[in-house]
Amino acid sequence: MDAPVDNARAVAWPARMDHRRRRRAFHLLLATGSIMVLVGLGWGVFFAWRGEWAVAAMELAMAALGAGVIVMARLHRPRAASWVAFVGLTGVLCFFSAYLDVPTAQAPRTSHVFLLVLALCGHHVFRDEKPWLRYGLVVALLVLFVVFAAAPVTTPSSLAIAEDVRRVGIWINLATAVASLLIVVRLADSDIAEHRALHRALRDALSQRRFVLLYQPQVDAAGRIVGAEALLRWHDPRRGLIRPADFMQAAEDSGFILPLGHWVLQEACRQLAVWQATPALRHVRLSVNISALQLRQPDFVQHVDDVMTRSGIQADALTLELTESVLVHDMEDAVGKMRALHAMGVRLSLDDFGAGYASLSYLRDLPFAEMKIDRAFTRDVVRDAHAATITRNLLQLGRDLGIDVIAEGIEHDDQFALLGGQGCVLFQGYLFGRPMDVAAFTERIASS
Ligand code: C2E
Ligand code: MG
Ligand code: MG
């Protein structure tokens, strides 16, 4: 089975879902679709052979639905595949349980047992979705299971399956449900094992000094380098340089981001101290990404202060990039720490502005020195008038509030020209340089 790792497939999942989880959800969708096809086809052919055409048609419809799930998952439409699988299959199972699989004294109902399997599968497929969806789906499926198991839902139905078929059918149905449950557990387990292995590998990488920081230039309107963003890479001897998308989620889930983030800050400040001691590089600012979990640590401010003091850097050359996710948990705590960092002279930047639900009030009320316009807007700025209106207004907002605005993800001259025309004076993107090692970065400044 192909793993869904390319970008096209990635866009349809929630942004915070890493490749590992995408691959697991993809495999679970394929398994769900395959089981629907096999069960639907098997029973469909059987009932067609018995001449019970209405039941056969419904079984075959379930098989068609399953085929649709497989095709959509393979065509990089995982969200659509998930909805068809879960909404479609829930509907089919409720219908079967209420009208076809009507319990009698000799043969109990069994179709509803698949609702349990579906709940477990849904828990894994929707794990990175919003809580109302993640838990809502599982709770709804479990409630339906309880209703069909406990309540006497015995609709008098002309479609009810004959007693002799049902007596054999319960064994086949239960065996299939148990086998499906094992498949789901196995797929989820393989993910847990993979997660543990990844966590171990990350820990080893830190102790073996296999993490490196790359530096991506930030330039002014004339294209001169005025700063850099430190971007983390994991140097794996077998796989080469690995980007954060492949390990950051696991690092955050396991708490490993704390020692890793500690290393990043130390390394960035050490590098900044070197630049500040070099006349040609003294003006270069350095931005470091800080995750929500790091900011939530009670001693985070003290920790930043210690690292800065030890490295001897000038505080205003260091920018800490935060996304609005840091404000979601305990806003009061985050705001207190941000004010303390600001008082120490550290600059704070609101990263990925526009990518989530960033509120304008964050910019008004919090001590941000900078806002980074997300690539979602700068990418389309030339061909989409709405995106251009938004960037123009964000730049005006920055001027009104006295906040620097930097446009991220600039890849082409026309984006640079258009945003420059709107008054943007800070840029970052492949057009000015990809993330590069420190030697390449310093050489780049020397030659500019
Ligand atoms: P970010 O902070 O928004 O960083 C910018 C990302 O966009 C980087 O990806 C960069 O390589 C990429 N990028 C820059 N210019 C362009 C462009 O013109 N076109 C395109 N398509 N992409 C561009 P990268 O290095 O893979 O980092 C991804 C994310 O990982 C970062 O997003 C940041 O949220 C996180 N990250 C990276 N390093 C660290 C770190 O040290 N600590 C923490 N907590 N997070 C980090
Ligand atoms: Mg950033
Ligand atoms: Mg960004």
Side-chain angles (χ1 to χ4, degrees):
M1 276 191 260
D2 294 329
V5 290
D6 60 63
N7 285 338
R9 229 174 275 199
V11 287
W13 291 110
R16 61 182 173 281
M17 194 170 178
D18 69 8
H19 289 161
R20 200 170 37 87
R21 290 209 185 149
R22 284 177 183 155
R23 200 173 55 226
R24 182 199 49 199
F26 174 70
H27 288 160
L28 280 167
L29 284 173
L30 287 191
T32 308
S34 307
I35 292 167
M36 288 165 78
V37 170
L38 288 176
V39 173
L41 270 183
W43 283 117
V45 170
F46 174 75
F47 284 113
W49 169 71
R50 281 174 62 95
E52 295 180 38
W53 298 107
V55 183
M58 270 171 254
E59 297 284 1
L60 291 174
M62 181 171 80
L65 217 57
V69 171
I70 296 172
V71 171
M72 275 183 269
R74 287 209 164 272
L75 288 179
H76 319 326
R77 300 262 177 279
R79 274 239 164 92
S82 312
W83 282 112
V84 172
F86 288 92
V87 176
L89 200 48
T90 304
V92 166
L93 289 174
C94 289
F95 184 80
F96 278 21
S97 302
Y99 293 101
L100 304 185
D101 190 7
V102 181
T104 58
Q106 281 74 37
R109 170 185 283 133
T110 50
S111 301
H112 66 296
V113 175
F114 283 97
L115 290 166
L116 279 183
V117 185
L118 205 57
L120 184 66
C121 191
H123 169 68
H124 290 292
V125 170
F126 289 98
R127 197 155 93 180
D128 292 277
E129 297 286 355
K130 297 194 177 63
W132 67 264
L133 177 56
R134 191 172 8 138
Y135 296 115
L137 178 81
V138 173
V139 169
L141 287 166
L142 293 179
V143 167
L144 285 171
F145 169 78
V146 170
V147 169
F148 282 115
V153 189
T154 48
T155 336
S157 163
S158 57
L159 291 173
I161 297 168
E163 187 79 22
D164 58 328
V165 177
R166 292 187 67 256
R167 271 202 297 269
V168 182
I170 52 176
W171 290 97
I172 298 175
N173 260 358
L174 286 176
T176 314
V178 169
S180 309
L181 199 65
L182 286 176
I183 292 172
V184 173
V185 168
R186 175 78 193 90
L187 285 172
D189 258 6
S190 66
D191 177 62
I192 292 168
E194 221 179 289
H195 182 85
R196 286 211 187 107
L198 180 58
H199 188 202
R200 247 195 325 272
L202 286 171
R203 266 203 328 256
D204 292 348
L206 189 60
S207 63
Q208 292 164 5
R209 301 175 167 275
R210 294 200 183 282
F211 284 104
V212 283
L213 286 184
L214 297 187
Y215 300 89
Q216 185 175 31
Q218 295 178 333
V219 304
D220 65 12
R224 278 184 304 254
I225 296 178
V226 291
E229 177 173 5
L231 292 161
L232 187 62
R233 296 291 182 270
W234 168 11
H235 190 269
D236 185 76
R238 271 185 311 116
R239 294 156 67 196
L241 278 190
I242 303 174
R243 293 178 68 137
D246 288 334
F247 63 84
M248 202 44 96
Q249 186 67 51
E252 299 209 353
D253 289 350
S254 60
F256 180 71
I257 187 66
L258 295 176
L260 185 57
H262 185 107
W263 177 84
V264 169
L265 192 64
Q266 260 178 338
E267 177 61 13
C269 287
R270 189 197 59 75
Q271 189 56 60
L272 194 53
V274 173
W275 290 346
Q276 289 187 346
T278 315
L281 299 166
R282 192 161 292 154
H283 65 286
V284 176
R285 284 191 162 141
L286 187 56
S287 298
V288 176
N289 292 284
I290 299 295
S291 82
L293 194 62
Q294 284 176 275
L295 189 73
R296 255 187 276 151
Q297 296 312 297
D299 59 352
F300 181 70
V301 175
Q302 186 58 47
H303 166 62
V304 175
D305 196 29
D306 290 348
V307 174
M308 283 199 320
T309 312
R310 248 179 285 137
S311 56
I313 57 160
Q314 238 174 284
D316 65 353
L318 178 68
T319 304
L320 300 185
E321 292 193 5
L322 309 169
T323 58
E324 87 263 26
S325 63
V326 302
L327 300 160
V328 171
H329 280 275
D330 186 350
M331 175 104 172
E332 224 170 281
D333 176 67
V335 171
K337 286 175 179 150
M338 289 167 70
R339 298 223 161 102
L341 290 163
H342 175 69
M344 281 156 46
V346 176
R347 296 174 80 249
L348 297 174
S349 172
L350 184 53
D351 200 0
D352 303 340
F353 191 83
Y357 304 96
S359 153
L360 291 181
S361 67
Y362 294 158
L363 290 174
R364 188 195 60 195
D365 301 334
L366 300 175
F368 282 111
E370 178 185 277
M371 168 222 300
K372 298 186 86 170
I373 306 181
D374 192 64
R375 201 169 83 86
F377 291 120
T378 57
R379 186 183 49 213
D380 302 329
V381 79
V382 175
R383 51 194 163 85
D384 177 355
H386 293 300
T389 306
I390 290 170
T391 54
R392 192 175 50 246
N393 284 307
L394 289 179
L395 286 158
Q396 184 58 47
L397 184 75
R399 280 190 290 273
D400 292 345
L401 296 174
I403 293 174
D404 288 342
V405 179
I406 175 162
E408 282 195 88
I410 305 302
E411 295 181 353
H412 307 289
D413 281 317
D414 48 5
Q415 291 170 293
F416 181 41
L418 192 144
L419 287 159
Q422 291 184 339
C424 187
V425 292
L426 289 168
F427 305 86
Q428 180 180 340
Y430 293 169
L431 180 64
F432 316 102
R434 290 188 175 240
M436 54 190 96
D437 64 24
V438 70
F441 183 74
T442 36
E443 199 175 300
R444 186 66 173 276
I445 295 192
S447 64
S448 70

